Amino acid sequence: MPRLAAASLAGTAIEFYDFFVYGTAAALVLGPLFFPAFSPFAGTLAAFGTFGAGFVARPLGSVLFGHLGDRRGRRPVLVASLLLTGASTVAVGCLPTYGTIGVAAPLLLLVLRFLQGLGLGGEWGGAVLLTAEHAPAARRALWSSFPQVGPAFGFLLANGMMLALSAALSAAEFARWGWRVPFWAAGALALAGLWLRSSLAESPRFLEIDDHARVPFVEVVRHHGRLVLLTAGALAIGYAVFYTVTTWSLAYATERLGVSRTVMLTCVMAAVVVKGALTPLMAVLGDRYGRRPLCLTGCGACVLWMLPMVSLLATGRPLLMFVGILGALLAFVTMFAVVAAYLPELYETRVRCTGAAVGYNLGGVLGGALTPIVATALAEQGGRVPWAVGAYLTGIALVSLVCFALLPETRPAPVAAVG
């Protein structure tokens, strides 16, 4: 289990590195480079629009790679999704800007972001299921939490590179070529991930299946449609919170408040370190007290914290901004630390890769795709404190709280017996 968990963590870290490096670039530099005819505000919205395209692609990737995972095994999904996401990310780093090829530049950027999302949509299901289906039932949340730590590592690596380049280069150098370096690095990371995953064993639960679903997605829609919608609605607030504090806040703080990008990246990264470190601890609590109680607690904390969070961000003072971001990520990790065990346990083995991944990534569309765009527009219309952003997030949190309340508890039923 330690070796498997480490490989899953490394793989999700690499895949999410690819996804996050785009989000940071969208907040800091892509608007002027690919949408120069727009005003700074409109350019940021357009860059976040291409950011959202990755989320729209993720459920489609779940269907595509979920079919592969439920028909051919979890392990092939890990290789195929990593190749697609890595290649797309490197291609973004090589893409000419609007000044070189005109309108083709933003169009190609949109296509590559879509392909990134397609690959990531398959990654989560494969990595989580391979870990969850190997893990003993009594410690399933703990072992399954390691792939959930991967996004924190990916975020830190992506933003650490952006921070180092931003500090070392002038603004002109960063805009000319510095922002491309993290995208190019994705190629080496993808090769390392493929090497780590080359020796992983197939899931024992998959090997036990005698009757594979012919078209897993159709079976999921027919027999588990309500469950998919509830899980998507429940997870929407997690995505909304995470991408508010890690993507929108960067643009808001640097453009509206005049906070340096180095200071803001440091605040966000410090909070993500705490979030990553606490993920296994929260998962242990999920093994002891159940998945649903942790999810309800985290979601309730989001309801209470969103308005204080935006008021702390609006101060422009690094320590207070850090406190606001940290509080939001602590609420987030209380929910998402157990999600990697919770979702697989909700679906029967023969459609688990499709069902769990579609629900998870559809939540990304509902909570993550539009949030940076909506938050940017709401903040532009308000005063110094973007209360409308806090109200918007609170509303999503209330919807997610209702969805979590309607989901059943699954602990400690063995994975193979659920469904």
Side-chain angles (χ1 to χ4, degrees), residues 127-418:
V128 164
L129 261 67
L130 201 61
T131 307
E133 292 182 338
H134 274 92
R139 291 289 180 267
R140 187 174 298 125
L142 172 60
W143 290 115
S144 300
S145 72
F146 285 92
Q148 294 293 82
V149 178
F153 276 96
F155 179 85
L156 292 172
L157 183 58
N159 285 274
M161 291 189 70
M162 285 289 189
L163 181 61
L165 289 163
S166 178
L169 302 175
S170 67
E173 289 172 329
F174 184 79
R176 188 166 62 251
W177 61 267
W179 68 272
R180 297 180 182 274
V181 175
F183 289 89
W184 295 336
L189 292 173
L191 292 176
L194 291 172
W195 177 78
L196 283 170
R197 291 178 165 183
S198 61
S199 60
L200 293 181
E202 182 54 81
S203 161
R205 302 295 179 228
F206 175 80
L207 296 176
E208 292 169 0
I209 301 173
D210 295 322
D211 181 25
H212 294 278
R214 187 170 183 180
V215 185
F217 179 68
V218 172
E219 193 165 317
V220 166
V221 172
R222 184 176 299 162
H223 300 295
H224 305 285
R226 178 178 178 272
L227 184 58
V228 169
L229 294 177
L230 283 177
T231 53
L235 299 179
I237 184 56
Y239 280 101
V241 165
F242 191 82
Y243 287 101
T244 294
V245 301
T246 61
T247 300
W248 169 76
S249 69
L250 293 177
Y252 170 73
T254 55
E255 295 173 10
R256 291 288 302 277
L257 304 180
V259 178
S260 78
R261 77 175 66 143
T262 302
V263 169
M264 195 58 200
L265 281 171
T266 301
C267 288
V268 175
M269 289 171 64
V272 170
V273 168
V274 179
K275 171 250 178 192
L278 289 179
T279 298
L281 174 61
M282 292 299 179
V284 169
L285 295 178
D287 276 325
R288 182 167 184 177
Y289 299 109
R291 293 42 163 140
R292 190 167 168 268
L294 268 289
C295 291
L296 290 170
T297 300
C299 200
C302 288
V303 173
L304 299 175
W305 188 248
M306 294 301 97
L307 289 172
M309 180 193 73
V310 296
S311 67
L312 290 168
L313 284 176
T315 65
R317 298 169 61 182
L319 181 58
L320 294 180
M321 297 175 84
F322 168 74
V323 171
I325 292 168
L326 179 62
L329 290 185
L330 290 179
F332 166 86
V333 76
T334 304
M335 295 179 285
F336 271 57
V338 297
V339 160
Y342 196 15
L343 264 63
E345 290 171 343
L346 289 168
Y347 293 90
E348 58 184 309
T349 308
R350 66 200 304 269
V351 296
R352 183 172 291 144
C353 194
T354 300
V358 169
Y360 184 84
N361 287 295
L362 190 58
V365 175
L366 299 177
L370 294 178
T371 292
I373 300 173
V374 173
T376 300
L378 291 175
E380 183 72 12
Q381 302 304 315
R384 181 177 177 86
V385 180
W387 295 116
V389 176
Y392 169 74
L393 294 171
T394 302
I396 297 176
L398 288 170
V399 172
S400 293
L401 190 64
V402 172
C403 291
F404 272 127
L406 294 173
L407 287 171
E409 178 57 79
T410 58
R411 184 191 65 93
V415 169
V418 174

Side-chain angles (χ1 to χ4, degrees), residues 19-181:
F19 205 70
F20 290 146
V21 78
Y22 186 99
T24 305
L28 298 179
V29 75
L30 293 186
L33 294 177
F34 288 88
F35 306 95
F38 294 2
S39 68
F41 167 66
T44 300
L45 279 180
F48 280 149
T50 59
F51 174 78
F55 281 99
V56 174
R58 283 174 64 169
L60 299 177
S62 301
V63 175
L64 175 65
F65 288 104
H67 184 92
L68 177 64
D70 285 324
R71 293 283 299 171
R72 303 297 179 189
R74 318 316 191 194
R75 191 169 172 270
V77 172
L78 301 182
V79 175
S81 62
L82 188 59
L83 281 172
L84 178 58
T85 308
S88 303
T89 306
V90 172
V92 171
C94 300
L95 192 62
T97 61
Y98 187 95
T100 303
I101 61 172
V103 72
L107 291 176
L108 289 172
L109 185 68
L110 184 66
V111 170
L112 291 173
R113 178 60 176 175
F114 187 87
L115 293 175
Q116 261 193 336
L118 206 65
L120 192 62
E123 161 65 25
W124 185 87
V128 164
L129 261 67
L130 201 61
T131 307
E133 292 182 338
H134 274 92
R139 291 289 180 267
R140 187 174 298 125
L142 172 60
W143 290 115
S144 300
S145 72
F146 285 92
Q148 294 293 82
V149 178
F153 276 96
F155 179 85
L156 292 172
L157 183 58
N159 285 274
M161 291 189 70
M162 285 289 189
L163 181 61
L165 289 163
S166 178
L169 302 175
S170 67
E173 289 172 329
F174 184 79
R176 188 166 62 251
W177 61 267
W179 68 272
R180 297 180 182 274
V181 175

